Amino acid sequence: GAGVSQTPSNKVTEKGKYVELRCDPISGHTALYWYRQSLGQGPEFLIYFQGTGAADDSGLPNDRFFAVRPEGSVSTLKIQRTERGDSAVYLCASSTPGGGPTEAFFGQGTRLTVV
Amino acid sequence: RKEVEQDPGPFNVPEGATVAFNCTYSNSASQSFFWYRQDCRKEPKLLMSVYSSGNEDGRFTAQLNRASQYISLLIRDSKLSDSATYLCVVAGGNQFYFGTGTSLTVIP
């Protein structure tokens, strides 16, 4: 497909477990973003990649959260020792490179539920 | 202070009405501005970019006031299909900052 793909679409996990969420951006998009969206709120920035490197990880809430993008394409968001408060929709977006931010294209998100 | 502030609504309007949403942003160095639409349990999708001169796309008009750091979206002749959450987005430094969204329900 031509869009941003996220897997799984839904994930239910027990408190304390480790989860990985995957994002496959639009081909050729070097900028990749992870956001978290809770019910009734707008997307909250987590981390931004330009190519393989995390250009800005200031939105990661604590050290249980980590993300990688080893080859500059697919990215994985990793959450250790999950807590019930981590339950949310995790959105990934990608955009084209350029002199400034252009349109961000979003995947359909992974709905994470920690029980 | 949040980067982007929006009135969350909800706005409930009859079909055919005109409705306006407003948004303010805190960083005067912001570079790009957008309105995104998000349907229930779906991902946000770009509705329109917002330019300094103001721009129109059919029934939708977006305006930007850099001096007041204020963005607006006007929807004319509302349709039932316009029911959604409208997110104000401000971009700068390669980051996109989202407002909390304004909920619109168009009533038959």
Side-chain angles (χ1 to χ4, degrees):
Chain A
V4 177
S5 175
Q6 289 188 249
T7 55
S9 54
N10 281 283
K11 176 72 177 177
V12 180
T13 190
E14 290 181 349
K15 180 175 175 296
K17 298 290 189 184
Y18 168 83
V19 295
E20 289 190 353
L21 312 179
R22 176 189 166 108
C23 173
D24 198 341
I26 292 172
S27 177
H29 282 193
T30 58
L32 184 147
Y33 307 82
W34 282 100
Y35 287 84
R36 177 169 70 175
Q37 187 172 26
S38 301
L39 194 62
Q41 300 296 315
E44 172 195 12
F45 170 77
L46 296 177
I47 187 169
Y48 157 63
F49 286 90
Q50 184 60 255
T52 59
D56 185 345
D57 64 358
S58 61
L60 295 177
N62 52 60
D63 62 5
R64 295 187 297 105
F65 288 75
F66 189 70
V68 295
R69 195 186 185 198
E71 297 177 358
S73 179
V74 171
S75 175
T76 304
L77 178 66
K78 308 181 181 194
I79 310 174
Q80 298 178 321
R81 305 183 304 281
T82 51
E83 299 178 357
R84 292 197 179 88
D86 299 335
S87 297
V89 176
Y90 289 81
L91 292 164
C92 176
S94 69
S95 70
T96 54
T102 57
E103 177 186 355
F105 294 84
F106 283 84
Q108 292 192 330
T110 294
R111 184 172 300 276
L112 176 67
T113 304
V114 182
V115 297
Chain B
R1 182 183 174 186
K2 287 186 178 179
E3 294 279 346
V4 181
E5 301 266 9
Q6 267 185 273
D7 178 354
F11 284 65
N12 300 314
V13 303
E15 235 179 326
T18 295
V19 61
F21 305 138
N22 303 316
C23 163
T24 57
Y25 61 96
S26 60
N27 187 350
S28 59
S30 299
Q31 298 168 287
S32 306
F33 309 89
F34 310 90
W35 283 100
Y36 274 69
R37 171 188 169 133
Q38 187 171 27
D39 292 288
C40 188
R41 300 179 78 89
K42 297 288 189 181
E43 74 276 21
K45 291 185 178 177
L46 179 70
L47 177 66
M48 58 196 303
S49 300
V50 187
Y51 304 116
S52 297
S53 55
N55 49 299
E56 188 174 307
D57 182 1
R59 298 181 294 108
F60 299 84
T61 300
Q63 298 217 312
L64 166 65
N65 184 323
R66 282 190 184 268
S68 302
Q69 295 179 205
Y70 170 93
I71 305 159
S72 66
L73 176 68
L74 183 77
I75 305 175
R76 291 182 300 278
D77 188 24
S78 300
K79 310 290 185 192
L80 297 177
S81 58
D82 294 335
S83 298
T85 296
Y86 291 83
L87 295 159
C88 176
V89 183
V90 173
N94 291 306
Q95 268 210 42
F96 294 85
Y97 297 96
F98 286 78
T100 55
T102 299
S103 173
L104 171 67
T105 301
V106 180
I107 303 162

